[in-house]
Short mmCIF file of all heavy atoms in Angstrom, two decimals:
data_model
loop_
_atom_site.label_atom_id
_atom_site.label_comp_id
_atom_site.label_asym_id
_atom_site.label_seq_id
_atom_site.Cartn_x
_atom_site.Cartn_y
_atom_site.Cartn_z
N ALA A 169 29.46 -1.00 8.56
CA ALA A 169 28.17 -0.60 9.07
C ALA A 169 27.29 -1.66 9.34
O ALA A 169 26.07 -1.59 9.32
CB ALA A 169 27.60 0.40 8.15
N MET A 170 27.84 -2.80 9.76
CA MET A 170 27.12 -3.95 10.22
C MET A 170 26.03 -4.36 9.35
O MET A 170 26.24 -4.64 8.22
CB MET A 170 26.66 -3.74 11.66
CG MET A 170 27.72 -3.53 12.61
SD MET A 170 28.85 -4.99 12.81
CE MET A 170 27.76 -6.17 13.62
N TYR A 171 24.73 -4.34 9.82
CA TYR A 171 23.56 -4.86 9.08
C TYR A 171 22.67 -3.74 8.57
O TYR A 171 21.47 -3.97 8.34
CB TYR A 171 22.80 -5.92 9.81
CG TYR A 171 23.61 -7.16 10.08
CD1 TYR A 171 24.31 -7.32 11.21
CD2 TYR A 171 23.86 -8.14 9.11
CE1 TYR A 171 25.19 -8.41 11.50
CE2 TYR A 171 24.44 -9.29 9.29
CZ TYR A 171 25.20 -9.40 10.54
OH TYR A 171 25.99 -10.53 10.76
N ALA A 172 23.23 -2.52 8.51
CA ALA A 172 22.47 -1.34 8.25
C ALA A 172 21.91 -1.42 6.72
O ALA A 172 20.85 -0.76 6.46
CB ALA A 172 23.27 -0.05 8.43
N ASP A 173 22.48 -2.24 5.94
CA ASP A 173 21.97 -2.41 4.58
C ASP A 173 20.56 -3.13 4.53
O ASP A 173 19.78 -2.86 3.73
CB ASP A 173 22.91 -3.12 3.63
CG ASP A 173 23.42 -4.43 4.22
OD1 ASP A 173 23.17 -4.83 5.31
OD2 ASP A 173 24.14 -5.21 3.37
N VAL A 174 20.42 -3.98 5.62
CA VAL A 174 19.07 -4.68 5.70
C VAL A 174 18.01 -3.67 6.10
O VAL A 174 16.92 -3.63 5.59
CB VAL A 174 19.14 -5.76 6.83
CG1 VAL A 174 17.83 -6.43 6.98
CG2 VAL A 174 20.23 -6.83 6.37
N ASP A 175 18.51 -2.70 6.91
CA ASP A 175 17.58 -1.58 7.30
C ASP A 175 17.16 -0.71 6.16
O ASP A 175 15.97 -0.35 6.03
CB ASP A 175 18.12 -0.81 8.52
CG ASP A 175 18.34 -1.69 9.73
OD1 ASP A 175 17.37 -2.35 10.14
OD2 ASP A 175 19.47 -1.67 10.24
N ILE A 176 18.15 -0.30 5.44
CA ILE A 176 17.81 0.61 4.23
C ILE A 176 16.95 -0.11 3.26
O ILE A 176 15.96 0.42 2.74
CB ILE A 176 19.06 1.23 3.66
CG1 ILE A 176 18.69 2.33 2.52
CG2 ILE A 176 20.01 0.26 3.07
CD1 ILE A 176 18.15 3.51 2.94
N LYS A 177 17.22 -1.45 3.05
CA LYS A 177 16.44 -2.27 2.12
C LYS A 177 14.97 -2.32 2.64
O LYS A 177 14.08 -2.11 1.83
CB LYS A 177 17.06 -3.64 2.11
CG LYS A 177 16.20 -4.70 1.41
CD LYS A 177 16.63 -6.15 1.55
CE LYS A 177 15.60 -7.10 1.31
NZ LYS A 177 16.09 -8.50 1.07
N THR A 178 14.76 -2.55 3.89
CA THR A 178 13.46 -2.60 4.50
C THR A 178 12.73 -1.27 4.43
O THR A 178 11.58 -1.23 3.99
CB THR A 178 13.60 -3.18 5.96
OG1 THR A 178 14.27 -4.29 6.05
CG2 THR A 178 12.27 -3.23 6.57
N ALA A 179 13.40 -0.12 4.73
CA ALA A 179 12.74 1.11 4.62
C ALA A 179 12.27 1.44 3.21
O ALA A 179 11.24 2.05 3.09
CB ALA A 179 13.76 2.23 5.10
N ILE A 180 13.11 1.05 2.28
CA ILE A 180 12.75 1.32 0.82
C ILE A 180 11.55 0.46 0.50
O ILE A 180 10.53 0.83 -0.06
CB ILE A 180 13.94 1.02 -0.04
CG1 ILE A 180 14.96 2.07 0.09
CG2 ILE A 180 13.49 1.01 -1.60
CD1 ILE A 180 16.40 1.69 -0.58
N ALA A 181 11.67 -0.87 0.83
CA ALA A 181 10.48 -1.83 0.55
C ALA A 181 9.22 -1.38 1.26
O ALA A 181 8.13 -1.56 0.56
CB ALA A 181 10.88 -3.20 1.03
N ASN A 182 9.37 -0.75 2.32
CA ASN A 182 8.00 -0.23 3.08
C ASN A 182 7.63 1.13 2.64
O ASN A 182 6.65 1.60 3.12
CB ASN A 182 8.33 -0.24 4.63
CG ASN A 182 8.37 -1.60 5.23
OD1 ASN A 182 7.87 -2.60 4.68
ND2 ASN A 182 8.92 -1.58 6.45
N GLY A 183 8.32 1.68 1.67
CA GLY A 183 7.91 2.96 1.13
C GLY A 183 8.24 4.16 1.93
O GLY A 183 7.74 5.28 1.74
N GLU A 184 9.11 4.01 3.01
CA GLU A 184 9.41 5.06 3.95
C GLU A 184 10.40 6.04 3.24
O GLU A 184 10.32 7.25 3.54
CB GLU A 184 10.09 4.56 5.20
CG GLU A 184 9.17 3.48 5.97
CD GLU A 184 7.97 4.12 6.52
OE1 GLU A 184 7.80 5.33 6.53
OE2 GLU A 184 7.21 3.39 7.29
N VAL A 185 11.30 5.56 2.44
CA VAL A 185 12.21 6.48 1.74
C VAL A 185 12.31 5.94 0.26
O VAL A 185 12.18 4.69 0.05
CB VAL A 185 13.69 6.48 2.38
CG1 VAL A 185 13.65 7.10 3.68
CG2 VAL A 185 14.17 5.03 2.47
N PRO A 186 12.50 6.84 -0.67
CA PRO A 186 12.64 6.36 -2.09
C PRO A 186 14.08 5.73 -2.28
O PRO A 186 15.03 6.18 -1.83
CB PRO A 186 12.46 7.58 -2.89
CG PRO A 186 12.91 8.74 -1.95
CD PRO A 186 12.64 8.28 -0.59
N GLY A 187 13.95 4.77 -3.15
CA GLY A 187 15.24 3.98 -3.44
C GLY A 187 15.01 2.81 -4.32
O GLY A 187 13.74 2.38 -4.50
N PRO A 188 16.09 2.18 -4.87
CA PRO A 188 15.89 0.99 -5.62
C PRO A 188 15.52 -0.29 -4.81
O PRO A 188 15.84 -0.28 -3.52
CB PRO A 188 17.35 0.79 -6.19
CG PRO A 188 18.07 1.96 -5.98
CD PRO A 188 17.46 2.65 -4.80
N ARG A 189 14.92 -1.24 -5.34
CA ARG A 189 14.64 -2.46 -4.66
C ARG A 189 16.03 -3.10 -4.44
O ARG A 189 16.94 -3.02 -5.35
CB ARG A 189 13.79 -3.30 -5.63
CG ARG A 189 13.53 -4.70 -5.29
CD ARG A 189 12.74 -5.31 -6.50
NE ARG A 189 11.58 -4.59 -6.89
CZ ARG A 189 11.55 -3.92 -8.19
NH1 ARG A 189 12.50 -3.91 -8.99
NH2 ARG A 189 10.37 -3.34 -8.39
N MET A 190 16.26 -3.75 -3.33
CA MET A 190 17.55 -4.11 -2.94
C MET A 190 17.69 -5.69 -2.70
O MET A 190 16.88 -6.29 -2.14
CB MET A 190 18.06 -3.45 -1.64
CG MET A 190 17.91 -1.91 -1.46
SD MET A 190 19.12 -1.14 -2.62
CE MET A 190 20.62 -1.73 -1.90
N GLN A 191 18.90 -6.21 -2.96
CA GLN A 191 19.34 -7.52 -2.42
C GLN A 191 20.67 -7.08 -1.75
O GLN A 191 21.44 -6.20 -2.29
CB GLN A 191 19.66 -8.50 -3.52
CG GLN A 191 18.38 -9.11 -4.10
CD GLN A 191 18.58 -10.26 -4.98
OE1 GLN A 191 19.66 -10.88 -5.14
NE2 GLN A 191 17.46 -10.73 -5.70
N VAL A 192 21.02 -7.53 -0.51
CA VAL A 192 21.99 -7.10 0.22
C VAL A 192 22.94 -8.24 0.82
O VAL A 192 22.49 -9.31 1.00
CB VAL A 192 21.63 -6.18 1.35
CG1 VAL A 192 20.80 -5.05 0.99
CG2 VAL A 192 20.69 -7.06 2.45
N ALA A 193 24.18 -7.84 0.95
CA ALA A 193 25.24 -8.81 1.42
C ALA A 193 25.72 -8.66 2.80
O ALA A 193 26.55 -9.41 3.28
CB ALA A 193 26.45 -8.67 0.48
N THR A 194 25.21 -7.72 3.52
CA THR A 194 25.55 -7.31 4.90
C THR A 194 27.18 -7.16 5.14
O THR A 194 27.66 -6.31 4.30
CB THR A 194 24.97 -8.38 6.01
OG1 THR A 194 25.65 -9.55 5.95
CG2 THR A 194 23.50 -8.45 5.75
N ARG A 195 27.75 -7.90 5.80
CA ARG A 195 29.16 -7.51 6.32
C ARG A 195 30.32 -7.97 5.45
O ARG A 195 31.41 -7.47 5.71
CB ARG A 195 29.33 -8.09 7.69
CG ARG A 195 28.22 -7.59 8.66
CD ARG A 195 28.38 -8.25 10.06
NE ARG A 195 29.65 -7.72 10.63
CZ ARG A 195 30.14 -8.36 11.69
NH1 ARG A 195 29.52 -9.40 12.35
NH2 ARG A 195 31.30 -7.88 12.29
N ALA A 196 30.18 -8.91 4.53
CA ALA A 196 31.35 -9.44 3.88
C ALA A 196 32.32 -10.21 4.82
O ALA A 196 32.23 -10.06 6.03
CB ALA A 196 32.02 -8.48 2.96
N MET A 197 33.22 -10.97 4.28
CA MET A 197 34.17 -11.81 5.10
C MET A 197 35.54 -11.65 4.52
O MET A 197 35.76 -11.83 3.28
CB MET A 197 33.66 -13.23 4.98
CG MET A 197 32.26 -13.44 5.54
SD MET A 197 31.79 -15.13 5.45
CE MET A 197 29.99 -15.03 5.90
N THR A 198 36.55 -11.76 5.53
CA THR A 198 37.94 -12.11 5.16
C THR A 198 38.38 -12.88 6.39
O THR A 198 37.80 -12.88 7.49
CB THR A 198 38.88 -10.98 5.07
OG1 THR A 198 39.05 -10.21 6.24
CG2 THR A 198 38.44 -9.88 3.95
N PRO A 199 39.57 -13.50 6.23
CA PRO A 199 40.13 -14.11 7.48
C PRO A 199 40.70 -12.90 8.39
O PRO A 199 40.74 -11.83 7.92
CB PRO A 199 41.30 -14.95 7.04
CG PRO A 199 41.01 -15.16 5.55
CD PRO A 199 40.24 -13.97 5.05
N THR A 200 40.94 -13.21 9.62
CA THR A 200 41.52 -12.21 10.51
C THR A 200 42.64 -11.48 9.92
O THR A 200 43.68 -12.04 9.45
CB THR A 200 41.85 -12.84 11.86
OG1 THR A 200 40.66 -13.40 12.52
CG2 THR A 200 42.51 -11.86 12.82
N GLY A 201 42.60 -10.19 9.99
CA GLY A 201 43.79 -9.29 9.62
C GLY A 201 43.95 -9.00 8.15
O GLY A 201 44.93 -8.39 7.80
N MET A 202 42.93 -9.42 7.43
CA MET A 202 43.08 -9.26 5.94
C MET A 202 42.23 -8.22 5.26
O MET A 202 42.05 -8.22 4.08
CB MET A 202 42.95 -10.65 5.25
CG MET A 202 44.08 -11.53 5.72
SD MET A 202 44.17 -13.05 4.91
CE MET A 202 45.38 -13.92 6.03
N TYR A 203 41.75 -7.26 6.12
CA TYR A 203 40.96 -6.26 5.58
C TYR A 203 40.98 -5.06 6.56
O TYR A 203 41.00 -5.36 7.77
CB TYR A 203 39.53 -6.70 5.31
CG TYR A 203 38.74 -5.74 4.32
CD1 TYR A 203 38.81 -5.78 2.98
CD2 TYR A 203 37.78 -4.72 4.89
CE1 TYR A 203 38.16 -5.00 2.18
CE2 TYR A 203 37.11 -3.96 4.11
CZ TYR A 203 37.30 -4.06 2.71
OH TYR A 203 36.56 -3.24 1.84
N PRO A 204 40.96 -3.78 6.19
CA PRO A 204 41.03 -2.70 7.10
C PRO A 204 39.80 -2.76 8.10
O PRO A 204 38.77 -3.30 7.73
CB PRO A 204 40.92 -1.42 6.24
CG PRO A 204 41.09 -1.97 4.80
CD PRO A 204 40.83 -3.45 4.81
N LEU A 205 39.85 -1.88 9.14
CA LEU A 205 40.91 -1.01 9.49
C LEU A 205 42.12 -1.73 10.06
O LEU A 205 42.02 -2.55 11.06
CB LEU A 205 40.42 -0.04 10.55
CG LEU A 205 39.13 0.84 10.17
CD1 LEU A 205 38.93 1.82 11.11
CD2 LEU A 205 39.36 1.51 8.80
N LEU A 206 43.32 -1.38 9.55
CA LEU A 206 44.56 -1.98 10.06
C LEU A 206 45.48 -0.85 10.34
O LEU A 206 45.36 0.22 9.95
CB LEU A 206 45.05 -2.93 8.97
CG LEU A 206 44.25 -4.12 8.51
CD1 LEU A 206 44.74 -4.79 7.30
CD2 LEU A 206 44.15 -5.19 9.72
N GLY A 207 46.54 -1.32 11.13
CA GLY A 207 47.71 -0.36 11.38
C GLY A 207 47.50 0.56 12.58
O GLY A 207 48.28 1.39 12.79
N TYR A 208 46.51 0.29 13.36
CA TYR A 208 46.31 1.08 14.63
C TYR A 208 46.87 0.37 15.78
O TYR A 208 47.20 -0.89 15.64
CB TYR A 208 44.71 1.37 14.86
CG TYR A 208 44.15 2.19 13.79
CD1 TYR A 208 43.72 1.67 12.56
CD2 TYR A 208 44.23 3.69 13.93
CE1 TYR A 208 43.20 2.57 11.62
CE2 TYR A 208 43.72 4.52 13.01
CZ TYR A 208 43.21 3.94 11.81
OH TYR A 208 42.74 4.75 10.81
N SER A 209 47.18 1.00 16.79
CA SER A 209 47.74 0.43 18.07
C SER A 209 46.97 -0.75 18.44
O SER A 209 45.72 -0.73 18.40
CB SER A 209 47.79 1.49 19.15
OG SER A 209 47.97 0.80 20.43
N TRP A 210 47.66 -1.80 18.81
CA TRP A 210 46.84 -3.09 19.26
C TRP A 210 46.12 -2.76 20.59
O TRP A 210 45.30 -3.58 21.01
CB TRP A 210 47.90 -4.23 19.47
CG TRP A 210 49.05 -3.95 20.43
CD1 TRP A 210 50.31 -3.56 20.05
CD2 TRP A 210 49.07 -4.11 21.80
NE1 TRP A 210 51.12 -3.46 21.14
CE2 TRP A 210 50.41 -3.72 22.17
CE3 TRP A 210 48.14 -4.45 22.78
CZ2 TRP A 210 50.77 -3.71 23.57
CZ3 TRP A 210 48.52 -4.39 24.09
CH2 TRP A 210 49.88 -4.09 24.47
N GLU A 211 46.35 -1.58 21.24
CA GLU A 211 45.57 -1.25 22.41
C GLU A 211 44.32 -0.84 22.04
O GLU A 211 43.33 -0.62 22.96
CB GLU A 211 46.33 -0.15 23.17
CG GLU A 211 47.67 -0.67 23.82
CD GLU A 211 48.57 0.51 24.16
OE1 GLU A 211 49.04 1.21 23.35
OE2 GLU A 211 48.76 0.51 25.41
N LEU A 212 43.98 -0.39 20.82
CA LEU A 212 42.70 0.17 20.38
C LEU A 212 41.82 -0.88 19.75
O LEU A 212 42.30 -1.61 18.93
CB LEU A 212 42.91 1.31 19.38
CG LEU A 212 43.66 2.54 19.92
CD1 LEU A 212 43.93 3.53 18.80
CD2 LEU A 212 42.87 3.19 21.10
N GLN A 213 40.64 -0.89 20.05
CA GLN A 213 39.60 -1.66 19.39
C GLN A 213 38.95 -0.81 18.22
O GLN A 213 38.20 0.14 18.53
CB GLN A 213 38.50 -2.08 20.31
CG GLN A 213 38.87 -3.27 21.29
CD GLN A 213 39.08 -4.60 20.53
OE1 GLN A 213 38.40 -4.83 19.46
NE2 GLN A 213 39.96 -5.39 21.04
N VAL A 214 39.41 -0.91 17.05
CA VAL A 214 38.89 -0.26 15.96
C VAL A 214 37.89 -0.99 15.11
O VAL A 214 37.93 -2.24 15.08
CB VAL A 214 39.97 0.39 14.89
CG1 VAL A 214 40.98 1.31 15.72
CG2 VAL A 214 40.78 -0.82 14.36
N PRO A 215 36.88 -0.29 14.48
CA PRO A 215 35.90 -1.00 13.72
C PRO A 215 36.65 -1.81 12.45
O PRO A 215 37.62 -1.31 12.07
CB PRO A 215 34.97 0.05 13.17
CG PRO A 215 35.60 1.35 13.37
CD PRO A 215 36.67 1.18 14.40
N LYS A 216 35.88 -2.87 12.05
CA LYS A 216 36.51 -3.49 10.82
C LYS A 216 35.55 -3.39 9.69
O LYS A 216 34.32 -3.45 9.88
CB LYS A 216 36.68 -5.05 11.25
CG LYS A 216 37.57 -5.32 12.39
CD LYS A 216 39.04 -4.75 12.09
CE LYS A 216 39.95 -5.09 13.31
NZ LYS A 216 41.18 -4.26 13.11
#
Side-chain angles (χ1 to χ4, degrees):
M170 298 298 287
Y171 297 95
D173 54 352
V174 178
D175 296 309
I176 182 76
K177 169 189 165 168
T178 305
I180 292 168
N182 288 343
E184 302 290 1
V185 293
R189 176 184 304 110
M190 308 290 302
Q191 290 189 9
V192 299
T194 73
R195 303 176 64 190
M197 302 176 184
T198 71
T200 296
M202 297 187 190
Y203 198 81
L205 302 186
L206 296 167
Y208 293 87
S209 161
W210 55 265
E211 293 164 292
L212 296 175
Q213 284 291 330
V214 291
K216 300 299 176 195

